[in-house]
């Protein structure tokens, strides 16, 4: 399919204006959504107000795009956030991670690109449609870049969807090559869900690995970060997230463990300050997620925020958020870049949300914490062969915006009887504050440590912020708790000394909650239920969540003061809570909903976020609601029905003077769909 000439003219004009720096360019920037997070700063903000508190509930469906036919079977985990440039929507979709271009007004399919990667895709650790694409233009050419399931960087002509022959080899760069390490082109573990970051003519690409708690080998692929020329595909630089011998940080891996440790990729979005010529890398943890006895030492640059020179890839500054990670608290969110005013002085800041519910705030020029972040003593464990850091940096401001430890007072307390049952249940587990280390699982206990580790706080959708008011908005899960114990693996499962497991039960290859299976892969093995501690008992009390509400929250944090301005439960009370017989006759305040993959959108006056589960109430049929909150107070000011939960972060744009909201929905038995809302004519 070909895009109409008028639409292409608009897109080319917008690109040219953006590059010109004119007043019209600013206007185009404000009404389009040209990158995954709206801009290179990661804001997820657009100063649009046609859709506002007074009319949000009147929104109607403008168009819908079902993704079932893009691949060999429907996908039930659509996490994408589309781009909109020049009246065209660009998005990933389907079990083969196809790329589509849609008319932004009607949703009509204009072109589709799909790759069939066979065994390479089947072996990929990051499958399905991924989270999005990237757009590049130079005033003449317009290209769409994305990373395939099989970990190849492709350049497509934004007008036609065809490969761009001048880029790399026939329009692609094989990301498993030219990587300062040997990686098998078919089975080598490497992939990426996130969209590449493009600034000027530079493309920065991260790396991600298998979502799961049982690595087959500790010497996995290393997650080095690379930059490429957007015109030619030439590699410009590589940043070694595990330092090579002689490089800065190598000595933080004791006993030479840098040589035989893997992972430490950047699987979240990368943000850039073009004026400072710096890219900000939120590096994840090393192998393995819950046992680090094979990698003694603090282990730079695992769990570190690193600022690198955009031209050379050289480290300018770093701050390690977690020393010697043992909790799967790997950096999950895009760094947020904003200019704030602290104690009357302007600060160019970078703020990093986290699974721990801490918002780490730094001067993005120097890396110095904006507020003190003292090294604080943390509990030491007793797992044989483990190495423990005696301290971890804990922000003094802002205070934690989500629960990050489990104490008796956190347990369900709707009634005294339920609280007593919860206290009895947790006798089999170890409780403690954040950074309570894992334990070897034993009978009768402790079976494991109760922890929010993999899914608590803020996960891959990250946060958002308003650059005008200096407020950050962060969704967090308060009920995503599991029990994490360690066991010795059976022969042939892993070369780690310990992996996740529960005493008295077989130790299996435990996959993480986000693992998906793409078009070329066989059906997945049975996955332990979230909250079941990798095959352990379900953490519920009479069918109710072990922890008391709110099950999730949205917090507004003032970055000028470091204070939480407001915090609300995210979403309405689930059906199984409202209708539970043990709660009959009780007045239950709004609880919010459990879930770890809700992203927020900020407009001139609203914070927009959808429900993560379906409900049925007197106010609406069975489904989920896309909700609008007053961004100054947190009060809900409108909602519109969706047939399925939000599964990708919402975005907004204006075309021909009309504002639209688009959100990806999927889950349960509802396959992936992009839905666009607008006001009635």
């Amino acid at each position: 399919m070909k895009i109409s000439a008028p639409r292409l003219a608009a897109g080319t004009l917008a690109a040219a204006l953006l590059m010109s720096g004119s007043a019209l360019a600013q206007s185009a920037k404000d009404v389009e959504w040209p990158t995954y997070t709206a801009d290179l700063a990661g804001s997820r903000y657009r100063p649009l107000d046609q859709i506002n508190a007074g009319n949000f509930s009147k929104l109607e469906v403008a168009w819908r795009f079902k993704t079932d036919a893009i691949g060999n079977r429907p996908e039930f985990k659509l996490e994408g956030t589309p781009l909109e440039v020049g009246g065209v929507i660009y998005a990933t979709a389907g079990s083969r991670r196809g790329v589509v271009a849609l008319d932004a007004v009607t949703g009509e399919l204009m072109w589709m690109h799909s790759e069939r990667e066979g065994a390479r895709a089947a072996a990929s650790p990051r499958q399905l449609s991924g989270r999005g694409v990237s757009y590049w233009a130079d005033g003449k050419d317009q290209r769409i870049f994305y990373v395939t399931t099989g970990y190849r960087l492709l350049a497509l002509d934004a007008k036609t969807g065809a490969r761009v022959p001048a880029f790399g080899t026939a329009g692609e760069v094989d990301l498993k090559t030219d990587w300062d390490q040997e990686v098998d082109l078919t089975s080598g573990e490497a992939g990426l869900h996130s969209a590449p970051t493009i600034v000027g003519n530079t493309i920065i690409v991260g790396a991600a690995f298998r979502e799961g708690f049982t690595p087959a080998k500790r010497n996995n692929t290393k997650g080095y970060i690379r930059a490429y020329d957007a015109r030619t595909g030439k590699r410009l630089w590589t940043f070694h997230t595990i330092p090579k011998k002689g490089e800065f940080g190598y000595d933080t891996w004791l006993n030479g463990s840098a040589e035989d440790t893997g992972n430490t990729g950047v699987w979240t979005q990368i943000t850039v300050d073009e004026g400072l010529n710096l890219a900000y890398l939120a590096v994840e943890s090393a192998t393995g997620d819950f046992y680090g006895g094979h990698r003694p030492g603090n282990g730079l640059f695992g769990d570190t925020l690193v600022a690198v020179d955009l031209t050379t890839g050289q480290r300018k500054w770093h701050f390690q958020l977690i020393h010697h990670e043992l909790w799967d608290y790997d950096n999950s969110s895009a760094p947020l870049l904003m200019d704030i005013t602290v104690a009357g002085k302007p600060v160019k800041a970078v703020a990093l949300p986290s699974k721990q519910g801490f918002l780490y705030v730094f001067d993005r020029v120097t890396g110095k914490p904006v507020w003190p972040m003292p090294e604080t003593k943390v509990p030491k464990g007793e797992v044989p062969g483990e190495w423990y850091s005696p301290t971890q940096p804990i922000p003094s401001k802002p205070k934690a915006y989500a629960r990050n430890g489990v104490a008796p007072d956190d347990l369900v307390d709707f009634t005294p009887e339920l609280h007593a049952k919860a206290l009895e249940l947790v006798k089999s587990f170890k409780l403690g504050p954040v950074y309570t280390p894992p334990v070897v699982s034993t009978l009768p206990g402790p079976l494991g440590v109760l922890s929010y580790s993999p899914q608590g706080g803020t996960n891959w959708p990250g946060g958002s912020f308003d650059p005008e008011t200096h407020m950050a908005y962060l969704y967090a899960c308060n009920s995503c708790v599991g029990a994490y114990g360690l066991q010795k693996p059976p022969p042939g499962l892993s070369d780690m000394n310990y992996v996740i497991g529960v005493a008295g039960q077989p130790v299996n290859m435990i996959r993480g909650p986000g693992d998906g299976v793409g078009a070329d892969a066989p059906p997945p093995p049975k996955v332990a239920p979230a909250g079941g501690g990798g095959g352990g008992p379900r953490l519920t009390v009479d069918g109710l969540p072990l922890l008391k509400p709110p099950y999730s929250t949205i917090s507004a944090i003032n970055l000028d003061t470091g204070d939480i301005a407001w915090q609300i439960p995210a979403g309405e009370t689930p059906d199984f809570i409202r209708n539970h017989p043990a709660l009959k006759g009780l007045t239950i305040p709004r609880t919010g909903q459990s879930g770890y993959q809700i992203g927020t959108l900020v407009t001139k006056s609203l914070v927009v976020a959808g429900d993560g589960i379906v409900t049925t109430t007197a106010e609406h049929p069975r489904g989920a609601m896309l909700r609008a909150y007053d961004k100054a107070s947190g009060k809900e000011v409108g909602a519109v029905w969706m047939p399925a939960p939000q599964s990708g972060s919402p975005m907004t744009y204006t075309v021909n003077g009309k504002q639209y909201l688009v959100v990806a929905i999927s889950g349960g038995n509802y396959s992936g769909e992009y839905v666009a809302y607008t006001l009635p004519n």
Side-chain angles (χ1 to χ4, degrees), residues 580-610:
H580 198 283
L583 307 183
K584 188 174 182 179
L586 298 179
T587 300
I588 305 297
R590 188 165 175 168
T591 66
Q593 302 173 348
S594 180
Y596 69 97
Q597 54 183 30
I598 301 298
T600 54
L601 162 70
V602 185
T603 68
K604 191 70 175 176
S605 60
L606 303 176
V607 177
V608 179

Side-chain angles (χ1 to χ4, degrees), residues 226-298:
R226 286 163 292 175
Y228 297 90
D229 185 286
R231 286 192 173 90
T232 66
K234 177 185 177 182
R235 183 176 71 156
L236 301 176
W237 52 259
T238 300
F239 178 76
H240 298 139
T241 53
I242 297 179
K244 289 180 172 291
K245 193 170 185 177
E247 293 181 340
F248 180 90
Y250 181 84
D251 58 354
T252 66
W253 300 80
L254 304 182
N255 302 338
S257 55
E259 306 296 338
D260 60 358
T261 302
N263 290 31
T264 62
V266 175
W267 58 263
T268 189
Q269 294 298 137
I270 295 169
T271 48
V272 172
D273 185 325
E274 192 168 8
L276 295 176
N277 204 45
L278 294 177
Y280 298 89
L281 314 178
V283 184
E284 61 146 359
S285 53
T287 49
D289 288 332
F290 295 93
Y291 180 75
H294 303 290
R295 48 174 173 86
N298 283 345

